[in-house]
Amino acid sequence: MNSAIAGASNGADVFFILMGGILVFAMHSGFAFLEVGTVRHKNQVNALVKILVDFAISTIAYFFVGYGVAYGVHFLVNAATLNGNEGDLFAPQGRDLVKFFFLLTFAAAIPAIISGGIAERARFWPQAIATAVIVGLVYPFFEGIVWNGNYGIQEWITLTFGFPFHDFAGSIVVHAVGGWLALGAVIMLGRRFGRYSKDGRLMAFPPSSIPWLALGSWLLCIGWFGFNVMSAQSLEAISGLVAMNSLMAMVGGILAALVVGRNDPGFTHNGALAGLVAVCAGSDIMHPLGALITGGVAGALFVLMFDWSQSKAKIDDVLGVWALHGLCGLWGGVACGIFGLANLGGIGGVSFMGQLLGSLGGAAFALVAGFIVYGGLARTVGIRLTQEEERRGADLSIHKIGANPESDIPAR
């Protein structure tokens, strides 16, 4: 009887994690359509193909290398072991197998984030190489430090500050790492031709489709409740607080971006994502009011820093992924050390200094890695389309077809 109950419980966890993986996998369509709606029409096909191919390459890199780097688990064993019939490497009913799928969808979000920053002028195959390196080595190295306790760094933070660095669903591990990697990539790639005039003025490159952009935001928002809530990875550990905090941070981001962005639809839809990025780290320990403030700050931060990076710093980050994921993710890691404290309404179990150190460390690691990966590719194989290829657009230059193929054929 006990074994039957245990089997049913484990089977329920398998289904729970599988549904979480499916929801986060669906978020990749959100990444795709957010980019499709933001880039110019001549680069829409490239956006769709990049996100899909990056996911495929991420799967191979994470399966053969990355998962082992992060968790010390390898899949080159007898199939019976994979089914849990030999030893204890994998739990019965494939629980650890669906855990791989769930965590893969997180890992594959890194190149999906970077894709938005380097859009419209990046070569296809060099980016595919970068994806393999990042998902196989760079991301899982940091993932393993935070989520698997590798190299004793979490133990040191605990001894020094009283609690380990806390990142429940990846404000730093996924979003900040992706955003700061993207900053290095964007700088190494350079600005799009025509983005700035000779006297340094920002030239308008309006989005190709606000409806597609909005659809991307909606898909990401919906999937995010799997991203955050199902990071518990078991029914026993599930928390309604995570869902409530995700909701509050999302609406805080929407309203702040709406006001600070002066009703701009692109800022408003990205404001929802900014709030969700920021709440990932502390969604399991914050009070909902703390989550609302965290999301609101993130929404305003995205608008202000996107404008600053484009107009003042002249960083041509097409979707603003450094501001959205890099800076809002960094804020989320720090906010966890503020609003997660018991005397500010949180559950506790975190320290401000531990969160600050872990957050800054993740951002610095990713920025350096971004310069190394994309700098190395720039010096060897090249990472940028030619000026003529960029003028024609990545769709025709790389894929030989546009979003509306009939328009590619000259009229007879």
Side-chain angles (χ1 to χ4, degrees), residues 379-399:
R379 289 176 175 271
T380 52
V381 298
I383 57 176
R384 178 156 185 160
L385 296 174
T386 66
Q387 185 170 357
E388 176 58 24
E389 288 171 333
E390 186 179 330
R391 185 195 65 77
R392 292 180 66 216
D395 293 357
L396 295 180
S397 296
I398 297 174
H399 308 288

Side-chain angles (χ1 to χ4, degrees), residues 47 50 133 153 169-170 223 262 268 285 291 304 333 356 364:
K50 270 192 306 177
V133 173
I153 294 176
R262 300 180 180 181
T268 303
I285 60 172
L304 295 173
L356 180 64

